[in-house]
Each structure stands twice: as C-alpha cells, then as structure tokens.
Amino acid sequence: MISTQTLMGGTATATCTSSFSTTLSVTKNCGVPAGFINAGDPAVTGVVLSASSNVVSLTVNVLGKVCNAANAPSVVTGVSLTDTLTSGTAKTISIGTLKPGDCVNYVDHYTPTNIDHVISGVEGAVPLLEGTAP
C-alpha cells in the first residue's frame, strides 16, 4: 500500500535506517607464482633490486585475493583496494563487484622511495578495502 500525504507549512522529518553485513577477506603476499592470473604467466620474484648509472632501485611485486564469503548476505559493488605505502606512491586497484562466494585475484608492484625503511622492516603497507553494499 502506498500512502501519500500533503504537508501545508511546518517542518517534516523522517528517519530511515538500514542494516547490512558482509564478510570480505583480503590477502597480500610478496612475489607472484607462475600461472597466478593466466596459465602461461611466469613467476615473478617478490623483490627485484637493480642498479643502473649509479642508481639503485627496488621493485616489490605483490599478489593477493579479495573474497566475499559464500554465506555473505549481499553483493558488494565498487570494491577497490588502496595500498598506502610509508614510502612510494599509493595505488588503487579496482576489484569491481563481488557476489557471495566470489573471489578476485590481483597482482601489483610498487617502488619504495626510501629503501632504508624496507631493509629495516618499517615498510609494511596495509591495503584499505572499500566497497558499497546495495
């Protein structure tokens, strides 16, 4: 049944509430095993150190998986990961939509701007998971 009311002057207020829950999980590991995304892809070392023209650079290769639990009550849309590093440039990885039971693999790499932090163990980015449930 649809109800229509006309208000003449005064103030009208309404409160709407909603509740949802979902179970998302995120993993992040160093290095990429052969065939992680596509069957013929080669393995990629977790940390690659290179030197050229008196410049030393470091590339960190990571992989992971984002999952919506099989018993999740809803689809989650607009899922993205933001990897905020203590040194280097933050990146956002678009995952998209996850239905209950769905998992999406991701692969990424970054170059720390302060290698001293990585060597001493200070570097340790934690992915930020974002998404919207309908």
Side-chain angles (χ1 to χ4, degrees):
M1 180 174 142
I2 297 176
S3 170
T4 304
Q5 295 181 345
T6 305
L7 180 65
M8 303 296 281
T11 302
T13 61
T15 302
C16 297
T17 59
S18 66
S19 175
F20 69 90
S21 66
T22 189
T23 306
L24 298 176
S25 62
V26 180
T27 62
K28 178 182 175 185
N29 298 294
C30 195
V32 182
F36 182 70
I37 297 292
N38 298 306
D41 291 345
V44 179
T45 304
V47 177
V48 177
L49 183 64
S50 57
S52 176
S53 302
N54 296 325
V55 175
V56 175
S57 65
L58 183 72
T59 300
V60 179
N61 299 295
V62 296
L63 68 87
K65 185 181 285 193
V66 180
C67 296
N68 192 7
N71 63 347
S74 62
V75 172
V76 182
T77 61
V79 177
S80 63
L81 296 175
T82 301
D83 206 351
T84 306
L85 310 172
T86 56
S87 71
T89 304
K91 287 186 171 182
T92 298
I93 302 166
S94 177
I95 300 299
T97 298
L98 292 171
K99 295 183 249 176
D102 281 357
C103 289
V104 173
N105 293 332
Y106 70 91
V107 174
D108 197 23
H109 69 277
Y110 61 90
T111 302
T113 55
N114 189 340
I115 294 175
D116 292 340
H117 283 279
V118 176
I119 292 172
S120 68
V122 174
E123 182 70 38
V126 176
L128 170 67
L129 181 65
E130 299 175 345
T132 351

